[in-house]
Amino acid sequence: MGNKEDQLKIRLRNFIRHVFKDDFPVFMVCLIIALLMWIAVKLSKENTYSIRYPVVFSNIPEGAIIDEVSSQTLLLEIELNGADLVRQKFVRSHSPLIISIKDLPVRKADSLHMIRLATNTLTRDIERQLDVLNAVNRISPDTVYIGLLPDQQVLN
């Protein structure tokens, strides 16, 4: 028994030496091809991801400035394939989303004027900015409160 086991070990050792000595370049090419195919399959699957985006507000009512905002970022739950995810997560997520508050009603609360922004109404505008179609599933927080200082308080 010991003799057959020794012969098997020797044959296995010789095979491994042969593969890594003579056929190593072929082995590496096959390994790289297999790795690229695996990455392509993984990137083609659609999954849901959460990505945080900074927000910039535009079209502020004339004669007012933004004093406080309840959230400076939005957390988007997005359904994307892997290639789009790489683009959104590592390229696009550093650029802020531009949100217009032009036609939103302003309510007076104490010394501030408040704007209540329901984020679920922003889905189409955000998808347009991110260049994705029907991908945004959820936006968090669901409401952003924006406090404005009227022009008279800015001057004083």
Side-chain angles (χ1 to χ4, degrees), residues 63-78:
I65 62 167
I66 294 178
D67 183 46
E68 53 185 71
V69 177
S70 63
S71 180
Q72 296 285 344
T73 62
L74 293 178
L75 182 65
L76 305 181
E77 190 175 283
I78 304 177

Side-chain angles (χ1 to χ4, degrees), residues 30-91:
C30 291
L31 182 66
I32 290 170
I33 290 171
L35 184 65
L36 291 175
M37 290 176 68
W38 177 79
I39 289 171
V41 168
K42 282 295 186 184
L43 290 180
S44 68
K45 291 183 180 178
E46 282 208 4
N47 288 312
T48 302
Y49 304 96
S50 295
I51 305 175
R52 188 169 297 278
Y53 288 90
V55 177
V56 172
F57 298 100
S58 67
N59 298 324
I60 300 165
E62 195 170 320
I65 62 167
I66 294 178
D67 183 46
E68 53 185 71
V69 177
S70 63
S71 180
Q72 296 285 344
T73 62
L74 293 178
L75 182 65
L76 305 181
E77 190 175 283
I78 304 177
E79 191 170 323
L80 297 170
N81 64 30
D84 288 337
L85 171 69
V86 170
R87 184 171 52 93
Q88 292 298 329
K89 185 112 175 144
F90 297 110
V91 177

